[in-house]
Amino acid sequence: MRLWVTAILVALCIPATATAGTVFLLDGRGWGHGVGMSQWGAEGYARHGYTYRKILAHYYPHTHIGIAPARDVRVLLVQGKPRIRVGSAAPFVLVDAQERKAHLPAGSVVVDAAFLKRHPKLALPFTFEPGAQPLTVGGAGYRGEVEVKQKPGGLMAVNLVGLDLYLRGVVPSEAPGGWHEQTYEAQAVAARSYTLAMIHPTADFDLYPDQRSQVYGGIAAETTDTNLAIGATAGQVLVWRDQIIPAYYFSSSGGKTSSVHDAWPKMAQVPYLVSVADPYDYIAPHHVWPTQVLTPETVERTLGVADATDMRVVDNSSGRAKAVRVRTSSGWKVFSGNTIRTKFDLGSTDFTIGAMSLDAPTRTLFGTHVQVTGFVRGLGRARLEQLTPQGWRTVRPVHVDPQGRFDVQLDPKRSTQLRLAYNDVAGDAVPVNVAPRVTLQASGARVLAQVTPWLPFQLERLTGKTWRTIARSDGPFDRRVAPGSYRVATARDAGYVSAISRAVSVHVSVSGP
């Protein structure tokens, strides 16, 4: 009786798949909240010959320039401190809550618990009035007076200063040096308008000295160019329906500003804070950001979600991110655009998120085709790349269907790595492991084996529960063997993964030549 038994690596004919994970590509533009005047855009307009009046009319439509009377404003300098140092290079005066006056010599005093104990007749709050030289708080000089108050969280210092003297410390702090005079004048009018719209008579102060209101640098910030711009526009403010408007401004728009309601949904929409084109903002250093690559692990860690596989931006009417939907293992999670901006430390909410993901076979059989699949969304044309001895080389461009999916057929001859790339950004590499095709046959008392392509292999016989090598070969194999179970195993090679055939049984005893 002649018995033929054949064992082939049939398990490799249907390749398993694994994902390399999604790579998110975040692109964005601009810097700041986007409402009102773009400062870099205003500078661009000025360089193109626009006057400050035309610049303001563009960014604050439906407004006109009016005149506001001079007044003082109150600016917070220090808050929640156990002690505050106030001084001057010339003699100055302390006035307490009961209008009692203490004349102080040039130098400084530290207001704290010890000072109050030494001067029991003086009652907070204190008002410090300058003499021939300005006052200083913590060593920094400020025009006007300084009021020190006791609050539950500690001492507070507030600068009481004339409006345009205050602007002398604001305009150069908000606008870089070397800009056009028309830009400085536009900035002066906008800052003056914002200041007067933010007066809070019942509060301890009107304005913060930083980005929460306007950056205020005091005397050290003042420059001749910005002082001239403030003087040239003295008293000028932006008015809508007889009301001074809060003339918001920011650094860079990326090409288009935002409406106030889109930026801050709780605020009512008004006709002077709408989204407008900003064609000359291209001179801004943050007009366009470098592409930022976000791995799923980064997204998961930053947002506190699990298994992030997709991110989609929901735009508002200004073309900025109203929200971002993140697909996770428990469904879609929604985050506001401002939350994403804060969490990922972005310059603005004017961003897009593209994604590309590569699913590739982890193991395939020599001589068979392999289907490489994945998706590309929100990007231009991506490309499939393969790692070669010369580096990464493009296999072919990726063409996606309307859902962003793609399917590419490859015929790898050796194990390799694939990845998706877009412009200068590449996703994670995915291995494509090629196993040799192993054929093992039992015919009577003979065993025939072949590995394609030709690779060293070993014939193993099952002894007890252990497979033991009984022969080695690097080509076609034909040999008489004793009854038992046999298999072929290949070693891992530089271009191929190891493979083990299914076992065959030999039942015929060895006899004859």
Side-chain angles (χ1 to χ4, degrees), residues 269-283:
Q269 185 58 57
V270 288
Y272 54 84
L273 293 175
V274 295
S275 177
V276 299
D278 200 15
Y280 301 123
D281 182 78
Y282 64 83
I283 65 174

Side-chain angles (χ1 to χ4, degrees), residues 290-303:
T291 297
Q292 184 174 345
V293 179
L294 304 176
T295 64
E297 293 76 18
T298 299
V299 173
E300 292 159 8
R301 182 176 61 254
T302 304
L303 299 181

Side-chain angles (χ1 to χ4, degrees), residues 276-503:
V276 299
D278 200 15
Y280 301 123
D281 182 78
Y282 64 83
I283 65 174
H286 298 293
H287 180 72
V288 176
W289 314 336
T291 297
Q292 184 174 345
V293 179
L294 304 176
T295 64
E297 293 76 18
T298 299
V299 173
E300 292 159 8
R301 182 176 61 254
T302 304
L303 299 181
V305 299
D307 191 23
T309 57
D310 201 0
M311 297 180 73
R312 296 175 181 266
V313 175
V314 179
D315 286 339
N316 56 33
S317 63
S318 300
R320 297 182 173 227
K322 175 181 180 180
V324 174
R325 300 173 66 238
V326 182
R327 189 173 189 174
T328 72
S329 57
S330 58
W332 289 93
K333 305 290 185 182
V334 180
F335 300 87
S336 72
N338 279 319
T339 296
I340 297 297
R341 178 190 175 189
T342 300
K343 292 281 189 179
F344 289 95
D345 194 25
L346 306 178
S348 76
T349 57
D350 191 2
F351 59 83
T352 59
I353 299 177
M356 58 183 183
S357 181
L358 178 63
D359 304 312
T362 57
R363 189 174 173 91
T364 189
L365 193 62
F366 179 83
T368 61
H369 297 299
V370 59
Q371 298 298 119
V372 179
T373 61
F375 74 87
V376 178
R377 182 184 49 73
L379 305 173
R381 180 170 295 182
R383 60 190 185 276
L384 182 65
E385 295 185 337
Q386 178 178 343
L387 184 60
T388 71
Q390 291 75 40
W392 288 98
R393 295 291 184 266
T394 298
V395 177
R396 64 189 65 179
V398 171
H399 300 278
V400 300
D401 64 20
Q403 287 71 47
R405 300 291 306 180
F406 67 87
D407 188 332
V408 176
Q409 182 173 281
L410 299 178
D411 184 17
K413 303 300 183 184
R414 302 173 68 86
S415 296
T416 186
Q417 294 187 69
L418 301 175
R419 71 180 186 183
L420 284 175
Y422 171 73
N423 291 341
D424 296 329
V425 178
D428 293 337
V430 175
V432 179
N433 295 320
V434 177
R437 183 181 295 273
V438 179
T439 303
L440 176 62
Q441 297 175 333
S443 175
R446 306 187 73 84
V447 170
L448 295 81
Q450 183 167 326
V451 176
T452 307
W454 285 4
L455 294 172
F457 67 89
Q458 55 197 37
L459 181 67
E460 299 177 341
R461 184 173 187 272
L462 183 61
T463 304
K465 295 182 178 181
T466 304
W467 290 96
R468 300 187 182 282
T469 300
I470 64 169
R472 299 181 186 277
S473 178
D474 57 3
F477 183 88
D478 183 353
R479 179 172 170 175
R480 296 172 67 87
V481 295
S485 295
Y486 295 87
R487 72 179 187 183
V488 167
T490 67
R492 185 177 182 89
D493 181 82
Y496 303 94
V497 296
S498 59
I500 298 176
S501 74
R502 289 181 177 175

